Amino acid sequence: MEARQFKIGNMDCPGCAREVEGAVGKLEGVQIARVDFFSNTLQLLGDVDCDRLRIQVEAVGKTISDGDAAADLRGETKRTGVLGFCAYLWSRSASRPAIIGGALLLIAIAAEVFRLLPPDAGNLLYALAMLVAIVPIAQSGIKALRINRQFNINLLMTVAAVGALILGEFFEAALVIFLFAIGEALEGYTADRARDSLRSLIALKPPTANRIAGDQTETVLVESLQVGDLIRVLPGEGIPADASVIAGHSAVDQAHITGESAPMETAPGQEVFAGSINGAAALELRVNRTAEDSTLSRIIGMLQEAQSRRAPSQRQVDRFAHYYTPAVALAALALALIPPLFFGGNFLNSADGSGWLYRALSMLVIACPCALVISTPVTVISAISAAARRGVLIKGGVPLESLAGSKVIAFDKTGTLTKGVLSVEATYTDNCDAGPDCEPCAELISLAASVEAQSSHPFAGAILDVTAERGALRARATDVEALTGQGVRGNVKGKRITIGSHRFFDEHFDHTLELCARAAAIEESGKSAVMVHDGHKVRGLIALADSAREESAAVVAELSGLGIESVMLSGDNRHVAASIAEQVGVGRFYGELLPEDKLVAVEKLAAKHGGVAMVGDGINDAPALARASVGIAMGGAGSAQAMETADVVLMADGLRQLPRTIQRARFALRLIRENIVLSFGLKAVFLLLAATGNVTMLAAVFADMGMSLAVTLNGMRALRD
């Protein structure tokens, strides 16, 4: 049974999402119902009739539509500012009674100021304004109680407003309900602004493409492009699909994918990504992936999924809010009844004009947990969106908080701290007397290349490159198998050829002291020594070298400045590992590690330091990446596997964004903590003031609305550079 997805409307805060989730979960046949506030989506698993589903969702005051649940994120970024909020307010059917009630409230105030109506008529207008504005609020509260058996804030506000009418506080009742309705809409509007980063990313996808058909071009929908189609992209146009350049030279801006600010110079053979902007020259491209499988589409899908992954702090707040609202309702009931019944207090009015019922109603107004509940998710989605704009994909609140708390980062060596592009430095055999082009060396390279041509061994590319450069012939190998962490072997012309490390050969093959000493010398110089056995004897060895990335030393230094220790994990021998560690400034390193050894190393680091991040390619280091508190893959723009397996993906093939990403994660975590403390603190103060009769309902609703807006805007600071 496949999960279905629906779009949910009229949700102003995460509490609304929980109401829909609870209501849908009670339908017969529903197995799983998950509602995400920021993407406005319902993920539903189960056999349930669509009409019953719609009735249940609408019963709690929300709307539901079938089809693409992300449709509200397509199109242009919505208008901002006061006019934008007014348009948003009018677009919400639930807000229109509040608008009408607000208009009646203004008429009543004007009539009272200018003495146009007798006092009693003014009170009737205030009461009418409240009754009009309260309709959707009361309906939502009553239905939530009936369907979910929950006291939500709408029910509490309804009780407070009706109680204010009973006390004769007509103006206060009308204004409290109006401000509450506007405040709820304002929360939804500011949350909608947090979606703008994702909306702008989706807007990068061109709707059409110029497909080449013979000597002509035809304009087609991007969705109709197939792998292998030829397309033409004119200067300044968006690239419609992941593709390879077959003709033309241009500079392509793909900062939205890789985070690199400088446009990339392209030439035939290079790959470009969907949504990138072509420069000053036309390009002809061959489509590599369909529209739904493009790198940009995968990023958008993962970001939408990341929004629904709750951070640990968010889950704790949600659990607290589940019990908080009914607890405050019971406390308010006790406050209204116990003093008058047992201590002679005045139920309706006291000497200072604040009876116990009024105090209890003020508590209900301030009880709204919206500021607390929205404080974490708005910060998380802002931080994730900001990182995505700079070429870093963070898959949810959990990896964001884990990244912020990391004290140690373990780096894979090859391809992470180093360029990962090996080159053959020299070849040696026992009977070599004419340099690298002698016959024994040529045979050595040919045998090695024959096997490496069918392997994913790290040294394969370098050996094949030097084979092509020297024009050496290679035969076809069969039965090629990898020796995990040690080498590779295969059959070539009836010979069982084995290629492996010096350590592996010391354990399994006899070889001359001269070759052994030369291999040791190569490794001591920081290079790698690979030996070749032809089934009868060791034919010789190949010296290979890698070099550190230009940014590695600077990145390690920046991380040290952030109080983070860098540790290097390498499968190479200790001499090679020590050489690279010294070049990049890593103080602690481990060499000669098999994949399972890297896993053990990460476990030991985690046991000692707690949170440990691991940076690798997302494939070869999968066990260690999975064990780390947060797995970070780099070069994800060219690797679908890396994007799928890692918690954090550096889309560019480099480490430059890593320190800034950690700073952004720490900033987001600080904002989350600030928002939680501010929300708790203000609630505690105003609940105390309400209980002691030192705050009015108007002050309480202003404080609540102001706090919700404040924590939302504070959380959106995570969007900044």
Side-chain angles (χ1 to χ4, degrees):
M1 183 181 297
E2 292 187 1
R4 290 180 291 169
Q5 187 169 261
F6 301 89
K7 176 184 171 184
I8 304 298
N10 284 349
M11 292 198 299
D12 295 321
C13 70
C16 299
R18 288 197 304 274
E19 286 181 14
V20 177
E21 201 171 86
V24 173
K26 288 180 169 57
L27 288 174
E28 184 179 353
V30 172
Q31 298 178 23
I32 299 175
R34 291 196 181 99
V35 180
D36 178 58
F37 167 61
F38 273 99
S39 61
N40 291 329
T41 58
L42 163 65
Q43 297 284 346
L44 180 66
L45 181 64
D47 184 16
V48 60
D49 180 70
C50 288
D51 288 336
R52 287 196 300 127
L53 177 63
R54 178 183 55 79
I55 292 170
Q56 190 80 338
V57 171
E58 291 178 352
V60 290
K62 310 299 182 287
T63 63
I64 183 170
S65 59
D66 205 348
D68 186 356
D72 66 320
L73 291 173
R74 293 202 174 95
E76 298 181 357
T77 300
K78 298 176 182 178
R79 183 184 297 174
T80 60
V82 175
L83 290 178
F85 175 63
C86 291
Y88 175 84
L89 194 65
W90 185 252
S91 69
R92 297 173 73 256
S93 58
S95 296
R96 290 170 189 165
I99 296 173
I100 298 171
L104 291 172
L105 180 62
L106 286 175
I107 293 172
I109 292 173
E112 190 171 48
V113 169
F114 296 106
R115 302 180 185 277
L116 301 177
L117 295 172
D120 290 341
N123 288 338
L124 287 175
L125 274 179
Y126 287 136
L128 181 61
M130 188 275 283
L131 292 173
V132 170
I134 204 174
V135 170
I137 298 171
Q139 287 177 339
S140 172
I142 294 169
K143 288 175 180 177
L145 180 63
R146 179 174 57 84
I147 296 172
N148 291 337
R149 303 292 188 267
Q150 290 179 347
F151 285 88
N152 69 5
I153 186 58
N154 290 330
L155 183 61
L156 299 186
M157 290 300 301
T158 301
V159 173
V162 172
L165 281 184
I166 294 172
L167 291 174
E169 301 288 346
F170 299 100
F171 171 73
E172 203 160 0
L175 191 55
V176 161
I177 285 298
F178 173 73
L179 291 176
F180 174 75
I182 297 300
E184 290 283 286
L186 190 59
E187 285 180 14
Y189 174 74
T190 51
D192 195 49
R193 302 277 62 76
R195 301 185 184 103
D196 274 349
S197 292
L198 185 56
R199 185 179 290 116
S200 63
L201 196 62
I202 292 174
L204 289 171
K205 298 172 70 174
T208 60
N210 299 316
R211 184 166 58 192
I212 300 174
D215 296 331
Q216 305 294 323
T217 60
E218 55 181 353
T219 301
V220 299
L221 294 175
V222 169
E223 289 75 15
S224 68
L225 290 177
Q226 300 296 318
V227 175
D229 282 352
L230 302 182
I231 56 176
R232 179 174 289 116
V233 181
L234 301 178
E237 288 185 342
I239 293 173
D242 288 2
S244 296
V245 179
I246 59 173
H249 293 76
S250 185
V252 174
D253 180 3
Q254 43 192 34
H256 65 286
I257 296 289
T258 65
E260 299 289 348
S261 57
M264 181 187 74
E265 295 294 330
T266 59
Q270 289 183 292
E271 185 176 4
V272 292
F273 302 109
S276 302
I277 306 300
N278 187 23
L283 293 173
E284 289 188 9
L285 311 172
R286 178 178 287 107
V287 175
N288 293 337
R289 300 183 186 94
T290 58
E292 62 270 17
D293 193 40
S294 71
T295 301
L296 179 60
S297 294
R298 292 201 306 271
I299 291 173
I300 292 169
M302 289 180 181
L303 283 175
Q304 290 175 327
E305 183 181 352
Q307 293 176 4
S308 64
R309 296 182 179 178
R310 296 176 181 174
S313 55
Q314 183 180 350
R315 289 196 295 267
Q316 293 170 6
V317 167
D318 287 346
R319 282 195 295 268
F320 172 81
H322 180 73
Y323 299 102
Y324 165 79
T325 304
V328 172
L330 290 175
L333 182 63
L335 185 69
L337 298 179
I338 292 176
L341 291 176
F342 299 99
F343 301 101
N346 194 311
F347 180 69
L348 293 177
N349 290 297
S350 61
D352 60 359
S354 177
W356 290 104
L357 177 59
Y358 186 89
R359 298 183 190 191
L361 295 177
S362 298
M363 282 189 69
L364 294 182
V365 172
I366 200 60
C368 175
C370 292
L372 182 61
V373 171
I374 205 172
S375 60
T376 298
V378 73
T379 308
V380 168
I381 190 56
S382 295
I384 290 173
S385 299
R389 289 206 308 264
R390 290 154 187 84
V392 180
L393 179 60
I394 302 175
K395 298 183 181 177
V398 174
L400 181 73
E401 291 195 12
S402 297
L403 191 62
S406 296
K407 298 298 182 183
V408 175
I409 295 185
F411 289 93
D412 173 49
K413 180 185 75 68
T414 304
T416 302
L417 288 173
T418 69
K419 294 177 181 177
V421 181
L422 293 167
S423 60
V424 174
E425 297 285 310
T427 54
Y428 302 94
T429 64
D430 283 334
N431 56 351
C432 176
D433 56 5
D437 295 324
C438 70
E439 185 176 347
C441 287
E443 290 179 358
L444 177 72
I445 285 293
S446 178
L447 286 174
S450 297
V451 178
E452 296 287 14
Q454 297 186 45
S455 81
S456 58
H457 194 271
F459 301 143
I463 292 174
L464 292 173
D465 287 343
V466 77
T467 303
E469 290 173 8
R470 296 182 183 182
L473 299 176
R474 56 183 173 86
R476 184 177 181 275
T478 58
D479 298 327
V480 176
E481 61 174 317
L483 307 172
T484 306
Q486 303 286 5
V488 63
R489 66 162 57 107
N491 295 328
V492 180
K493 294 182 178 179
K495 297 179 180 179
R496 189 61 170 167
I497 308 300
T498 303
I499 306 167
S501 65
H502 181 205
R503 181 182 62 172
F504 178 70
F505 268 57
D506 276 345
E507 295 174 357
H508 295 86
F509 300 110
D510 293 327
H511 48 283
T512 64
L513 292 176
E514 181 183 354
L515 275 180
C516 187
R518 192 178 290 277
I522 290 170
E523 292 174 344
E524 287 176 6
S525 68
K527 301 175 184 177
S528 298
V530 179
M531 290 187 163
V532 181
H533 191 277
D534 67 359
H536 299 289
K537 66 175 183 176
V538 175
R539 295 292 292 269
L541 65 86
I542 304 170
L544 302 102
D546 192 4
S547 58
R549 292 180 179 272
E550 291 82 355
E551 76 270 15
S552 292
V555 167
V556 170
E558 284 187 67
L559 293 174
S560 179
L562 295 173
I564 297 174
E565 180 187 4
S566 297
V567 178
M568 188 179 75
L569 308 179
S570 174
D572 283 331
N573 65 77
R574 288 187 59 82
H575 297 293
V576 175
S579 175
I580 296 298
E582 183 178 1
Q583 290 179 48
V584 302
V586 172
R588 188 164 26 146
F589 66 90
Y590 301 90
E592 301 179 357
L593 299 179
L594 299 175
E596 55 267 29
D597 297 326
K598 291 183 179 181
L599 173 62
V600 172
V602 170
E603 288 177 340
K604 289 181 178 179
L605 289 170
K608 181 178 180 180
H609 300 282
V612 175
M614 170 75 186
V615 186
D617 61 9
I619 306 169
N620 297 333
D621 301 307
L625 286 167
R627 174 60 186 86
S629 305
V630 54
I632 305 171
M634 56 181 290
S639 171
Q641 294 94 333
M643 290 180 65
E644 294 292 340
T645 58
D647 302 308
V648 177
V649 183
L650 307 178
M651 302 301 291
D653 186 23
L655 295 167
R656 290 184 179 88
Q657 289 286 354
L658 182 58
R660 185 68 187 91
T661 301
I662 293 173
Q663 288 178 307
R664 184 173 289 112
R666 289 182 174 181
F667 180 58
L669 188 58
R670 194 186 83 199
L671 292 177
I672 289 171
R673 290 170 176 167
E674 285 178 1
N675 282 345
I676 290 175
V677 170
L678 286 172
S679 300
F680 267 120
L682 189 73
K683 291 295 178 189
V685 169
F686 271 82
L687 285 173
L688 181 62
L689 291 174
T692 56
N694 292 307
V695 69
T696 65
M697 278 195 285
L698 284 180
V701 77
F702 269 116
D704 178 71
M705 185 173 67
M707 194 67 247
S708 295
L709 182 59
V711 297
T712 301
L713 295 178
N714 191 44
M716 290 177 68
R717 290 170 60 202
L719 283 167
R720 75 183 192 184
D721 291 338

